[in-house]
Amino acid sequence: MIARMTPAEKGAAFRALHEGEPFVIPNPWDAGSARVLEALGFRALATTSSGFAYSLGRVDGDVSLDEVVEHTRALAAASALPVSVDLENGYGAAPADAARAVTAAAAAGAVGGSIEDYDPSDGLYPLEAAAERVSAAVEAARTVGFDFLLTARAENHIRGNPDLGDTIARLQAYERAGADVLYAPGLRTADEIRAVCSAVSRPVNVLALPMLTRDEIFGAGAQRISVGGALTWVAAAAFAEAAAAIRDRGDFSALAARVPVKEWLGAGDR
């Protein structure tokens, strides 16, 4: 049996990952996928807002903080690994909203979380307001009683403003506000990743790209690679392809697939 870590031990382990060799932090969408990723040897997990919303039959952004908290609790109970939570924009525009989201995630068992600088209704927050929100989230993270790493996200590249200068200015402001990890989803090349990583001193998370390998991303300076909702869509695509073959051709051959479920879900013997 694998001994479970306390929140303090998980938090310390998560921080140590950011101070050691670069690592991949995959994104499960439910308890089962979390257990599989743990069994496959990954050392930490991050939630995916889009993947979790899909598991509820919804689109990204259509999930409440209360639902995310319950999801976090389920993943933390299913896996012994440190979990970081996609907290979107903190479920509100005010700095207090970002702080509340961090506190709620920590109470549910997370030892990390990310806050975006984008509002679904109003677009990208002005830089000063965005930095205030990060500062409030960082302050909340420091009061939870254990190490909680706050990731600050610059969303401009995927929100209609792919300006690398703006990305760097935002991440530098979030670093000054105390963020532990910096993240700009939507960087497309090794040169862009390198420019961001060289402009800040905190660990940088990079969203995986099909056209770049792990080593190329790490070589450009990233400390951490996440995959967002992509693993969810890999699973959904395989499911839909098999179902379409049944519908269109009466072809059940895909049902021959076998996976080591007992081996995966027995990981840790919990």
Side-chain angles (χ1 to χ4, degrees):
M1 176 178 284
I2 296 175
R4 279 193 168 274
M5 293 187 285
T6 65
E9 290 169 335
K10 282 188 178 182
F14 195 43
R15 183 171 292 280
L17 285 175
H18 292 80
E19 296 171 348
E21 292 297 314
F23 66 102
V24 176
I25 182 167
N27 305 73
W29 60 94
D30 62 9
S33 57
R35 291 284 288 275
V36 171
L37 292 168
E38 179 180 7
L40 291 175
F42 291 98
R43 294 176 290 170
L45 305 172
T47 70
T48 160
S49 63
S50 61
F52 175 49
Y54 167 78
S55 76
L56 299 177
R58 305 180 204 164
V59 296
D60 197 11
D62 194 21
V63 177
S64 70
L65 175 58
D66 286 344
E67 290 171 315
V68 169
V69 166
E70 288 306 310
H71 176 57
T72 301
R73 188 170 288 113
L75 294 190
S79 171
L81 298 180
V83 174
S84 183
V85 184
D86 182 345
L87 293 170
E88 302 187 55
N89 74 327
Y91 306 93
D97 294 319
R100 177 175 62 98
V102 166
T103 301
V111 293
S114 63
I115 294 291
E116 301 174 1
D117 58 3
Y118 174 82
D119 189 288
S121 300
D122 299 325
L124 290 166
Y125 295 112
L127 181 54
E128 183 176 349
E132 288 177 3
R133 299 174 78 256
V134 171
S135 180
V138 168
E139 184 175 349
R142 302 296 178 260
T143 65
V144 301
F146 51 85
D147 220 349
F148 185 103
L149 271 66
L150 193 286
T151 298
R153 292 177 49 148
E155 297 286 292
N156 57 301
H157 260 74
I158 59 173
R159 306 295 183 181
N161 181 33
D163 181 334
L164 191 61
D166 184 45
T167 300
I168 290 171
R170 286 176 176 272
L171 294 181
Q172 288 174 332
Y174 305 157
E175 178 175 3
R176 292 192 296 271
D180 299 292
V181 182
L182 304 169
Y183 179 21
L187 300 179
R188 304 299 298 171
T189 68
D191 286 342
E192 288 183 342
I193 295 168
R194 189 173 294 107
V196 166
C197 293
S198 65
V200 297
S201 60
R202 298 288 168 86
V204 173
N205 182 92
V206 170
L207 184 64
L209 298 165
M211 70 287 291
L212 291 177
T213 67
R214 175 196 61 191
D215 291 347
E216 287 172 327
I217 294 173
F218 287 155
Q223 175 64 23
R224 193 175 88 184
I225 300 173
S226 60
V227 302
L231 284 175
T232 314
W233 313 133
V234 170
F239 154 74
E241 183 178 357
I246 293 170
R247 179 198 63 197
D248 297 339
R249 303 187 301 278
D251 179 358
F252 296 98
S253 61
L255 305 186
R258 294 291 181 267
V259 295
V261 174
K262 290 184 179 180
E263 177 183 331
W264 290 341
L265 300 189
D269 211 14
R270 282 175 289 281

